[in-house]
Every structure is written in structure tokens, then in C-alpha cells.
Amino acid sequence: MQAAIDRPDAKGKNLAAYWRQWSGDYPNFTSLATTALLLIALVIIFYLINERFLSWRNVVIILNQGAAYIILGVGMTFVITTKGIDLSIGATVALSGTVVGLILVTWKMPLVLAIPAGLAAGAACGAFNGYCVARFRVPPLIVTLGTMALFRGLSYVLLGHQILFGFPDEFLWLARGRILGIAPSVYLAFIIAIWGWYFLNYTRTGQEIIAVGGNEEAARLAGIDTNRIKFITYTIMGVLAAVGGMVWLARVNSVQAAIAYGVEFHTIALVVLGGTSLFGGRGLVMGSLMGALILAILENGLVIVGLGSFVQQVLIGLIFITVVAFRTLQFREGQVTR
Amino acid sequence: MSAAAPAPDERGGFLANLRNYHPDTGLLISSIAMLVVLIVVFSFTSERFFSQAVVVNILNQTSIYIIAGVGMTLVLTSGGIDISIGSVIGLTATIMGLLMIDHGMPAMVAILVALLVGALCGAFNGFLVAIVKVPPIIVTLGTLTFFRGLAYLLGEGRVFMRFPDPLPWIGDGRVLGLPIPVYIAVLTVIGGHFFLTSTRMGQRITAVGGNEEAARLAGIDVVRTKFFTYVIMGVLTGLTTVVIVGRQDAAQAVFGFGIELHVIAAVILGGTSLFGGRGLILGTVLGALILGVLNTGLLLSGVVQFWQLVALGILLIAVVAFRMAREGTESK
């Protein structure tokens, strides 16, 4: 009798003990595990409501939708890790996309020219942000609020209200081709995520990014060129925004100046969902990967369940607020006990 | 001055006040200079710039940004930020439309409800920022999506039109040649300036934004102060919505989309610190006027409309960069 009562109790204790031990050994364990649990819970819920959710066809669609989010999320993880923020990435997507669109569609020039030009445009946007943040010490929020208007304005200057479509097939292959049944853009996204994880955790520059975000003054005194690190971080963000933009363009097969409006909010949301600290000094690229998948699953799953995009927006907002509130309480608890 | 002065926010003293005012005066003068330069430039590029219609039009357009800007100044002064105000406008406008067009409620009721809805949205933000202690940018990022979603959900994609009489008058009526929204903006500015500089609550907001820990140790209820700042922001957003709905004589869930960029830009241009602790309501008025003059001036000078965004972005970054450089040299 007693043993029967004891057993589940002991089991629960073990699990809790493991959880606590792992949390102690790996500081990021709690964040990553809760994100993973949320991801799994969402998959199970949507599968129970509608079996088609986990059909191969739909999984491919979800991954395809998530690819751009993952790529943007990796860059934003770096930026937020330095205690910065980048509101201009939607506009960067638009400006680099406009360059690609003009070259490929309007001028009918080859892909070999368009892709480097698009990446260069993205890098230039990022470098401009980085230069203003690092050199002039303008707060990142203000810089990127300004460049959000600036880059978007330039896209409108170049394109006006026209919509460019009819990209060449080689370009569309990025999102519409299939390698082993999955779009090349998905492979690209996962490669970038793995690179981002490696870069942040196992390279010197990555470690310096974390150091700058954790305590800038200490990092400077330790001999880190904080300005250079910030400049590099925003430039990487710009390049990744251009890459994400191309994936986006290839998927929708069109570009206009208003494209990707507000994507910065989704990207910041998914990075925070993934457990990266807004207070800087802690970046979880794999968390962002899961955050991007959560976002793609929510957008896709809610449609499959039959809820309109309006309910979708309300629910995504609510889930985001709840998770972040929970994270903040957790974070504060952790600080109190230490 | 005496040994037992527990709350420094309550007794400033003339000297302390002067010291507090001194750096702000410089900022205000630089904003005025910028405004004057813009006006002079545009008076050369466009002949019609000084016509009465244009001036009234600039004032009229700017009034929306000023009303919301007063609230945003308080929020930034408290060390926070609110990027959800565009969505609050969409939600409030939709509810006003439902009440007045669908249910035939009188304008007074709808206006009161609009202010109330704004206050509730602000209270929601304030609760998460002050009590749960989530960073303001994240809270309002979430509510930006959430409130806009609610607006779409309630409005079902409809456009509410032809509002009953008192409302269009609020948005477009004239008294002594000036539009009503200008009067509302002026009253809001006077109230806001008085509130921030001369009331206990206003000084608390500045204290909390300047140094939260010090404010807490000085006995200020930080949680309450922050919470109320967001509620005030919400009420003023509701008031902004009333003016917008009145002027357009329509209401739609997309109203206010992207307005946060312009409002925050106006406040920052006006000299309010993004780091908190320094709020300049009068500066916000100047910042909003700078943006209004810039937009209208470019338009009248025949510049393609899209360049306005480019100009706004460059101006914002340049002004803040200049200011940061000057503050850097001053503190050394």
C-alpha cells in the first residue's frame, strides 16, 4: 500500500531532481526545455484536432514558412545578445529584395549578379546600423527606428507602388525546388542555424558578442574592441536579413516596397520565445530555431484548425505575452535565490 | 535643505530647479532652431508654404501626434516605451464604430468608452510592465499584435462611416479659424507640462525614470508610478482616436498602423531622453511640428512622397547622434 503510494511520488521527485540538476549544470537548460515542451505541446494539440496537421505535405509547408523566420531569428539572436535590437530588418528585407527584384525582373540580368548585389545591399544596411550604434553611440532602438523609415523609404523611392513578379525559375528553386522532398531554403535555414550556434558559442567573435552584451564596460576593459563587435553583429544581421528576404521572395514569387512589413516584431518575438535574454549576454540560437518553428506552426496550425487570421493574431499575441511573463518571473526567482 | 528631507522629489528648491532646467533649455532652443531652419528652407522652395491654409493644415495634422506624444513623453520619461499605441487606436476606433454606427449610441457615450478602452489597454500594458516586470518593449510588442488582432476580430474587416454630428465637428470643426483638434492638443500640452513638472506624480515619473533604485529607496511607489504612466498613455491614445475618427469621419481596425514610429520620433526629436529621467513636453510639441513641417514642406516642394520617410529616418538618427556627441563631451 505504502510502496504503491511512494512510487509515483518518488518518480516525480526524480524527474524534478533531474530537472533541477540539469538546470544547475547547464544554465540554458530550463529555457531550452520549456521552449521544446511548448513546441511539442503545440504539435500534439494541433495533431489531435486535425490529423492532417502532421501529414508530410503540411510539414513541408510549415518548414518552408519557417525558413525565413529561422534565418532572420539567428541574426536577431546575435543582436539581442549584444543587448541591442534591430527594428529595421523588415525594411532591410524590402530594400535588398527590391535590389534583387530590379536586377532579375526589371533588368533581366543573371542570378550571379542579383544574389551578390542583394547580399551587399543587406550588408550595407546592417553596416549602416552598426556604424551608427557603435561610432555615434546612438541607442540601437533609435538607430533602427530611423533606418526602419529610411530603408523602407528608399525601397518606395526605387519601386513606387509597383509589384514585381515573374522571377526566373533558378531563383524560385530556392523555395519551390525539392531536395529529398524538402525545399532547399529549409536546408539553408538549418545550416545557418547550426552555423549560428557554433559561431556564437565556439568562436572568439561569438564569445566576444556574449561578453559585450553581458557587461560592456568589463568587456572593454578586458581588451575587447566593443565597437568592432557591435559593427560586425549588425552587419551579420543585415546579411542574414537579405538571405531571409530572398527565401521570402522565392516563396511568394513577388516583391513590393511594402513586403515584410512588421516582420521585425515577429522575429523579436520568436527570439524571446526561444529564451534569449533581452538584458543581453545570453543568446540561444537553438531556442530561436524552436521559436521560429513555434511561430510557423501557430500560423499554419490555426489555419488548419479553421481559425481566421484575426483570431490567430490575438492568440499569438496572448501566447507570446504569457510565455514572456512566465520567463520574467522565472528569471527573477532565479536571481532571488542566488 | 534641512536634515530631514526624506523625499527629494517633493522639494526641489529654486537652485535645484534651475539646474534641472538648464540642460533642457539648451535642448528646447536647438529644437526651435531646427524648426526655424526647416521653415526658412521650405519658404524658399515653395511659395505657398506661408499661406494660411497650409499653416492651419500643418497644425491640424500635427495635433494628433502631439496628443499621443504627450503620453509617450511621460512613458519615455519613466524609462519605458509603448509601441502598441497604433493598435490601441485601431481597437478603440473599432469599438467607437460599433457603438455609434451599429448601436446608435450618442457621441458622448462613445467618447467616454473610447477613453475607457484606452485606459484599459494602458492598464494591461502597465500591469505587465510594473507588476510582472517584463521589459516594456517586449510587453508592448506583444500587445501590438494582441490589440490589433482584437480590433480585426471585432471589426470583421468593416469600415464604419458617417458618424453622427458632434464627432465630425470634433475632428474638423473650426473655432476662430483654428480646427478643434488644435485646441485639444494645446490643452493636452498645457495639462501634460503642468502634470510632469509641477505635480507630485509627475516628479515621481521623472525620478523613477532617472534612477529606479534610488526612487524606490526614497520611498516612491515605483510599481504604482509606472502603472499609472501607462494608463495615462492609454487615455491619451483614446483621445487621439476620437480626433482621428472625427477627422476621417470613419473608423476601421487598421487605423493608427505605424503611428508609433512618428510619435516616438517626435518625442525623441524634442529632446526627451530614451533612457528615462528627462521629459520635455514642450520639446515634443516642437518635435511634432518639425515632422509636420518636414512632411508638408517636402510635399509642397514637389518631392515625391516616399522621400519623406527617408528624410524622417536620417533626421532622427542625425539629431540623436549629434545630441549624444554633445552630451559625451559635456560629461567629460
Side-chain angles (χ1 to χ4, degrees), chain B residues 1 4-13 16-17 197-204 207 218-220:
Chain B
M1 276 114 256
D9 60 315
E10 284 171 35
R11 29 173 85 200
N17 265 337
T197 55
S198 313
T199 68
R200 196 178 288 186
M201 193 66 192
Q203 308 242 301
R204 281 179 185 157
I220 295 175

Side-chain angles (χ1 to χ4, degrees), chain B residues 165-180:
Chain B
D165 205 20
L167 208 60
W169 179 76
I170 290 176
D172 212 26
R174 303 278 157 119
V175 173
L176 300 175
L178 281 176
I180 302 290

Side-chain angles (χ1 to χ4, degrees), chain B residues 37-93:
Chain B
V37 168
L38 279 177
I39 290 175
V40 169
V41 168
F42 286 127
S43 65
F44 280 112
T45 57
S46 162
E47 297 158 8
R48 289 176 300 162
F49 192 71
F50 274 124
S51 69
Q52 196 200 351
V54 170
V55 173
V56 169
N57 190 28
I58 290 177
L59 290 177
N60 201 3
Q61 281 182 352
T62 310
S63 56
I64 295 174
Y65 299 118
I66 291 178
I67 300 169
V70 169
M72 190 63 82
T73 310
L74 298 180
V75 172
L76 287 180
T77 306
S78 78
I81 195 162
D82 189 345
I83 54 175
S84 73
I85 58 168
S87 300
V88 176
I89 289 176
L91 180 59
T92 315

Side-chain angles (χ1 to χ4, degrees), chain B residues 239-321:
Chain B
L239 186 60
T240 313
T241 315
V242 172
V243 173
I244 293 178
V245 170
R247 177 175 308 156
Q248 307 276 339
D249 199 7
Q252 215 182 332
V254 297
F255 270 21
F257 198 87
I259 197 176
E260 58 276 358
L261 168 69
H262 293 265
V263 173
I264 294 172
V267 175
I268 297 290
L269 282 180
T272 295
S273 165
L274 189 76
F275 305 112
R278 186 183 70 205
L280 291 174
I281 302 273
L282 298 180
T284 300
V285 177
L286 294 171
L289 284 173
I290 289 172
L291 291 187
V293 166
L294 188 69
N295 273 346
T296 311
L298 286 177
L299 199 68
L300 287 179
S301 313
V303 176
V304 186
Q305 199 191 345
F306 305 130
W307 283 102
Q308 291 170 5
L309 271 178
V310 178
L312 167 69
I314 292 176
L315 186 69
L316 183 64
I317 295 172
V319 166
V320 177

